[in-house]
Amino acid sequence: MAALVTRVPLLCAFVLAACGYSWVSPAAYIGDGIERVYVDRIEIADGGGDPVFGDMLRRSLRNEIRRYATVGLASSAATADAVLKVRLLSLATRPVAFDAYDEVLDYETTVVAEASLRESGGRVVWQRDRISSSRGHATVAEAVLGSSAAFQANEALSGEDLESMDSVQLGEQRGEAARRRLADDLAGRIHVYLMEGR
């Protein structure tokens, strides 16, 4: 029985490692003495995107830290032990699929950012230069799989709504939804890199 108790955690660890997961200890979260982090306003480089996406990303980062981190969120830089700064380098949308008449069926949006965590004294504790994430979105109802589990779980849009929209409305709605998910994706990636110190 004791051998079984010993082997089960080892087997679980092996399976998780094989799937690409790794254990993250509280100590992996960027050192001692950092108990409260402030997420600063997102800086936008020239051509790096728009403030609306920056606000989405900041909200997503705060939610990530609130849900998963071993530290608390500070309400201001003055009350924080460290400040997380993110700078959007680029936010670009390009067509990736066309129909027989060269009308766009799908777009892909890619965002690239850099991030750093600085202690209140100014010392850089963690930094990553290029972090990117991409999301695609359809522009015609025929290209949207409304019956998929992902669509039904993540969209505030019914199949009837989908059918009633013209291509312009659908494209705008799908683009906005893709940008929200893109902000969540990028925030999750920044948080993972921060937690792993890479």
Side-chain angles (χ1 to χ4, degrees):
M1 182 67 180
L4 182 61
V5 170
T6 304
R7 289 183 184 146
V8 168
L10 289 174
L11 179 61
C12 290
F14 177 75
V15 169
L16 286 171
C19 293
Y21 293 97
S22 60
W23 298 108
V24 178
S25 67
Y29 198 95
I30 314 305
D32 298 327
I34 297 178
E35 296 179 0
R36 294 172 60 77
V37 170
Y38 176 69
V39 179
D40 206 354
R41 295 187 74 81
I42 307 300
E43 184 184 341
I44 312 289
D46 288 340
D50 64 80
V52 174
F53 183 81
D55 290 342
M56 287 182 196
L57 178 59
R58 188 179 187 212
R59 258 191 315 274
S60 294
L61 280 166
R62 290 175 59 84
N63 288 337
E64 279 287 317
I65 293 171
R66 190 178 290 115
R67 278 196 303 253
Y68 303 116
T70 58
V71 296
L73 277 171
S75 58
S76 68
T79 60
D81 300 309
V83 175
L84 178 62
K85 289 182 172 285
V86 176
R87 184 169 184 253
L88 289 180
L89 302 176
S90 66
L91 179 66
T93 301
R94 64 188 182 90
V96 291
F98 304 85
D99 65 11
Y101 304 100
D102 283 336
E103 296 292 328
V104 178
L105 297 176
D106 287 290
Y107 285 97
E108 182 180 73
T109 302
T110 300
V111 61
V112 181
E114 60 187 16
S116 65
L117 186 72
R118 294 174 184 267
E119 287 181 333
S120 53
R123 184 174 74 93
V124 177
V125 181
W126 168 83
Q127 183 172 327
R128 178 129 181 158
D129 291 335
R130 293 185 69 80
I131 308 167
S132 66
S133 192
S134 296
R135 274 279 179 173
H137 67 276
T139 59
V140 295
E142 294 79 15
V144 179
L145 188 57
S147 61
S148 71
F151 179 88
Q152 293 177 3
N154 298 317
E155 299 294 338
L157 186 67
S158 69
E160 292 78 23
D161 292 336
L162 197 61
E163 291 172 7
S164 68
M165 288 182 173
D166 64 31
S167 59
V168 173
Q169 290 172 317
L170 180 64
E172 289 177 355
Q173 192 280 337
R174 300 298 296 160
E176 183 66 18
R179 284 159 68 90
R180 283 195 305 271
R181 291 194 304 273
L182 189 60
D184 290 342
D185 291 347
L186 185 60
R189 189 158 293 184
I190 290 169
H191 183 251
V192 166
Y193 290 156
L194 179 60
M195 287 292 289
E196 294 180 354
R198 62 183 176 100

